[in-house]
Amino acid sequence: MPLARSLSVTSLSGLEDWEEDFDLEDAVLFEIAWEVANKVGGIYTVIQTKARLTCEEWGDNYFLVGPYMESSVRTQVELIEPCNPALRRTIDKMNASGCKVYFGRWLIEGSPYVVLIDVGFTAWSLDRWKSELWENFSIGVPWFDREANDAVLFGFLTAWLLGEFAAQCDSPPHIVAHFHEWLAGLGLVLCRQRQLPVATIFTTHATLLGRYLCAGNVDFYNNLAEFNVDKEAGDRQIYHRYCLERAAARCAHVFTTVSKITAIEAEHLLKRKPDVVTPNGLNVKKFSAMHEFQNLHAQSKARIQEFIRGHFYGNLDFNLDKSVFFFIAGRYEFSNKGADLFLEALARLNYLLRVNHSEVTVIAFFIMPARTNNFNVETLKGQAVRKQLWDTAQTVKERFGKKLYESLLIGQLPDVSKMLDKEDFTIIKRAIFATQRQCQPPICTHNMLEDSSDPILTCIRRIGLFNSSSDRVKVIFHPEFLSSTSPLLPMDYEEFVRGCHLGVFPSYYEPWGYTPAECTVMGIPSVSTNLSGFGCFMEEHIADPSAYGIYILDRRYRGVDESCNQLTSFLFQFCQQSRRQRIIQRNRTERLSDLLDWRYLGRYYISARHMALAKAFPDTYCYELQDPTSGFRYPRPASVPPSPAHSLHSSPHHSEAEDDDEEERYDEDLEAEKDRLNIRQPYSSTYRLQNSLCVDSVCVCVRFSIPDMTLVRPNQFSY
Amino acid sequence: IQILPLSFLSAADQAFVTLATTEDYCMGALVMGKSLRRHGTTRKIVVLISSSVSPEARHSLERVFDEVVQVDVMDSMDRTHLSWLGRPELGVTLTKLQCWMLIKYKKCVFLDADTLVLQNVDDLFEREELSAAPDAGWPDCFNSGVFVFRPSLHTHSRLLAHAAHYGCFDGGDQGLLNSFFKDWAVKDISKHLPFVYNLSSIQSKFGHQAKIVHFLGAVKPWHLRYDQSNKDSYLDQFLNMWWAEYRSQMPPISGEVDGNQDSGDMLHVSMKPSRHLNAQMRWVRSWLECISSSNNPSENMTMLPSAGYGTLVKFVIFLFYLRSIIKQHFIYMFVFTLSQINTETAEESLHHRRMWEKGHVDYMGKDSFENIKKKLDIFLD
């Protein structure tokens, strides 16, 4: 689902209309991944959200290739006859030789065409294909590794599909095949080995070995260059998978990763420097109303406050209006996701707030699914007590209202002392007594199965954050995904994020990091690290990230204790902001949305495809890079007229209404000007297309933006 | 006065039987046999092995079993059917049928090599042919991992005829036995063994009553690492019991294997270097004969054990032309050194591949990625 944002604030200087003249008339794009129409992990989100943009670019020449999984096909795919005649012949021929290949439309935004291959149906060829794999590449696959066996089948089937398609085309086609992750990687290696006319791209979203090493609490980044990769992979019994991944990276025309940090990881673990970094984007939906996200924040915040009232019943000795909500969310990987650092920083923040006699209360939510057996009675009781108090207040109000009405009918001034009679007081007193509580408000909302060994709970016990009334930092651990049907906190994840003040994601290993990106699009500030793809990307594109609510923690060049102090100072700094300052910060955060939109980030993919075409078909395509320039300051040329969206919100009425009564001004025009100075404009480069069919003189120049020149040096690609 | 069961008196003509066709399954059989001994069985223990089992493994089996019988491997010749099941190794389990030929015993209990005995199960001999426990996945069929039978040449030939005539519905022995003893499900409830005699899905409630555990599925205990810290589930406990049994008073099989090896693969005797070298010598010899007898070098291409040695071929052809110039002797030496670096015979290649498929990869030596990279670079250039 696209995340909504407001229409008004578009001031990113690099987002002018982009002339797309790279001639793709006779080119065909296949995008191949195990997670096409098959949700396993994060790659699904990447492909699903990107599809719309790619469809717009390639139209009917874009095909996603994935495995056929009956359950997801039934709910997500409409099976149809293949539209492309060459592809129809290909599929018919494959089906006639003992495969099961389906064609359809994937019912997501952009409704792209999908080719789905039933991998299990051709399992009878597994042994033959494994021998071929062995003979050509000396890679064997253990028969008990089911996933790797699927990768072999999928790889051979996709290579067969591409080869057959190339053979069925009337004129020699220009095929681009984009493979994601190691599970699809073998197809790429086979394409190269069979010398198919295919331009290949390989994208890793994380390296296999990196994931394993980080999970094993290794000092990963400091030893990156020293690992004996063969040994590490072999010791972890993933050598065959690692070989497939590394072979794909070696054979690809263009190799890409999702972030700069993963690029460094790939360079050391897969021994190839990525040619392009292709960050992951989001589909940003625009609201029609101004600053709608601020209203949504207020609504969601009110609902979280209600939950807090129930959760802390009997101990509500803090001012809810002066509370800020922090949260961390994601898969339950205690140290990889940085929950350890966050807890330690919270303990330090608690101390700082107490010694400074701060009025601010911090409530930190941990949304990380763990093994539980349902809600804990005490938390459910809290919500029930709150509901009961609400009902009591409503009853007394009814009776009060009736008496008032009667006295008005008689024409007398009401006697205030008689408005509440004895019975009312009894009800009220009873309700107040019901809220007494002997214990402290619970930390965990559920009954944990491994309560005594759970890392978060163990850590909380050690640092002593027990939600006592003297603590300025309270902790709530919700070990389950949020759902709008939950009896406890009936909100879905998006609503919850909107209601919080700050997302904290101090991850140690995070190839991209969708969570902080989602926060940004919703206008919620976040903390990330320079070890996460998102943090690297923002650091590179914004001059002063923390002014925009993007706090980037240095975990790469500092020790744990230093990083923890830095995080504590970020949190403390955030707590000291006034409400007004927080609102302005949210506005600024939200202005960064465009930077994360696929409309912008999709260009990195486009550049990867062009680069691959130019490498595979040097006679037809040509690719050139202009000299990259550096620095953040890229004033917008005066000749460029403001975009319509921009002019809409800069109307004088609006800024008066918003800012008159406040001391600190927030002026959209001024902010836009600041953005132009602070947000980095992507580089420009020129791509030239040489059509070999035409005479040499026909050269079409394309203005093309490619950022991140640290990875691509111009002299490398002189085609 | 309690009357002793008849079976107790005739213990000498009763036996537990198992089957091991590969080295891996020998490990399993060894553990199964030792676990039977540990729980004090009064019956004989017999293992059927195929001719492919190495002498070392056979020797260690002889220390535990009363009798080691070599049998022929029968394959169901139904490869497509079996690979459809995803268990290409299952075919050899049809060899199991040969247990009916052990006519020197009156009654036997068959136990798969991937089972582990946790209590004395001699009471199984009170049951009749064919008693077995229901299959966990398909309770109307019995699981052929544990069953009681009476050896008989007549039954054996009928089983073979049945197999030839009807085939079997899953390509393995379980389908065949179930279709042969098809009235098992309905006829006589006393032939239904309790599930604790062939426990495959572990319920913690009945876990402590288990008598025989059956490690079903493609991953066997010998594929997994021994990890004493795994004490979470019953399954892990059984796994650790398996390894504890494997390691208990294990006499060293041969001098060259280190008894303290962590992976515990004592039976995986590494390929002897002498054999390796001999095979290479054979190959080189045939090669050289070919070169000297033929005048057209391109004919020699077909002699290559496998594709992908293009560069080597070119180089050898080049040497062939040099032959007339330089002394023949010198070239032979050159070719010999080359072949030592680059080639393996088809047989060795298959063995090498099988090692990968078992998860034993020489990733620090000949299987390092550098060597794989060389293969990739052949077509990347």
Side-chain angles (χ1 to χ4, degrees), chain B residues 101-366:
Chain B
M101 292 171 82
L102 295 168
I103 45 172
K104 95 190 228 198
Y105 301 103
K106 285 257 161 52
K107 195 192 271 184
C108 295
V109 172
F110 189 92
L111 298 176
D112 266 354
D114 54 355
T115 55
L116 179 68
V117 178
L118 304 176
Q119 294 179 28
N120 187 303
V121 288
D122 285 358
D123 52 336
L124 280 174
F125 288 95
E126 289 161 32
R127 307 271 180 165
E128 257 316 310
E129 177 175 278
L130 178 286
S131 298
D135 188 79
W138 198 262
D140 282 347
C141 290
F142 57 82
N143 182 288
S144 61
V146 176
F147 61 88
V148 183
F149 68 101
R150 282 187 178 278
S152 139
L153 292 177
H154 179 63
T155 314
H156 181 243
S157 55
R158 276 173 59 214
L159 270 165
L160 284 187
H162 188 88
H165 194 243
Y166 297 103
C168 50
F169 57 77
D170 64 354
D173 63 292
Q174 177 152 326
L176 177 68
L177 289 174
N178 267 293
S179 64
F180 188 78
F181 297 100
K182 60 176 179 290
D183 57 356
W184 172 86
V186 288
K187 199 175 175 195
D188 186 357
I189 195 69
S190 72
K191 290 183 180 174
H192 286 231
L193 297 179
F195 199 57
V196 288
Y197 283 98
N198 189 352
L199 202 60
S200 46
S201 60
I202 313 292
Q203 294 286 316
S204 55
K205 191 181 171 196
F206 298 106
H208 63 283
Q209 298 175 6
K211 288 176 191 275
I212 300 175
V213 189
H214 190 176
F215 297 97
L216 279 180
V219 182
K220 302 296 185 194
W222 49 85
H223 295 134
L224 298 168
R225 290 225 162 194
Y226 177 59
D227 183 5
Q228 239 164 352
S229 62
N230 275 349
K231 280 176 180 159
D232 296 349
S233 68
Y234 268 90
L235 194 65
D236 291 332
Q237 280 184 27
F238 289 140
L239 197 64
N240 283 348
M241 281 159 88
W242 192 95
W243 276 104
E245 193 70 79
Y246 182 75
R247 293 170 162 238
S248 63
Q249 294 161 14
M250 184 69 180
I253 303 162
S254 60
E256 58 188 291
V257 179
D258 176 14
N260 294 325
Q261 244 179 308
D262 187 54
S263 55
D265 49 358
M266 295 181 187
L267 283 166
H268 293 297
V269 180
S270 57
M271 196 166 43
K272 288 200 189 74
S274 56
R275 194 176 126 207
H276 192 73
L277 203 66
N278 281 341
Q280 277 188 351
M281 285 289 284
R282 234 182 297 130
W283 187 78
V284 170
R285 222 177 296 131
S286 63
W287 237 100
L288 293 175
E289 276 162 21
C290 194
I291 289 177
S292 33
S293 64
S294 156
N295 280 323
N296 184 359
S298 60
E299 279 173 22
N300 299 330
M301 303 281 243
T302 50
M303 278 295 298
L304 283 171
S306 63
Y309 293 127
T311 39
L312 176 68
V313 173
K314 280 179 206 148
F315 191 59
V316 170
I317 293 167
F318 171 67
L319 287 175
F320 175 72
Y321 286 118
L322 282 181
R323 193 183 64 153
S324 52
I325 310 164
I326 318 174
K327 264 187 171 179
Q328 223 173 2
H329 211 72
F330 182 59
I331 301 172
Y332 285 172
M333 271 173 63
F334 215 96
V335 172
F336 180 71
T337 34
L338 256 181
S339 69
Q340 261 192 327
I341 300 162
N342 272 318
T343 57
E344 337 176 89
T345 63
E347 185 198 337
E348 276 161 5
S349 167
L350 190 70
H351 177 79
H352 189 178
R353 182 182 153 201
R354 294 287 172 234
M355 291 305 275
W356 270 82
E357 291 181 356
K358 280 181 197 165
H360 301 287
V361 187
D362 182 17
Y363 48 84
M364 298 298 284
K366 63 181 170 191

Side-chain angles (χ1 to χ4, degrees), chain A residues 340 459 510 513:
Chain A
D340 50 352
C459 187
E510 186 82 81

Side-chain angles (χ1 to χ4, degrees), chain A residues 230-263:
Chain A
D230 287 359
K231 181 174 184 304
E232 297 295 338
D235 289 351
R236 284 169 177 74
Q237 299 180 344
I238 51 161
Y239 190 69
H240 54 286
R241 295 179 175 201
Y242 148 85
C243 282
L244 291 176
E245 187 180 44
R246 199 168 150 190
R250 168 127 192 110
C251 294
H253 286 110
V254 171
F255 173 47
T256 82
T257 56
V258 292
S259 65
K260 212 171 158 187
I261 193 76
T262 315

Side-chain angles (χ1 to χ4, degrees), chain A residues 175 186 194 228 235 285 331 364 410 424 635 660:
Chain A
I175 304 175
L186 181 59
R194 296 174 183 177
N228 179 345
D235 289 351
K285 185 181 88 187
R331 241 176 300 134
I410 304 166
D424 293 328
D660 262 2

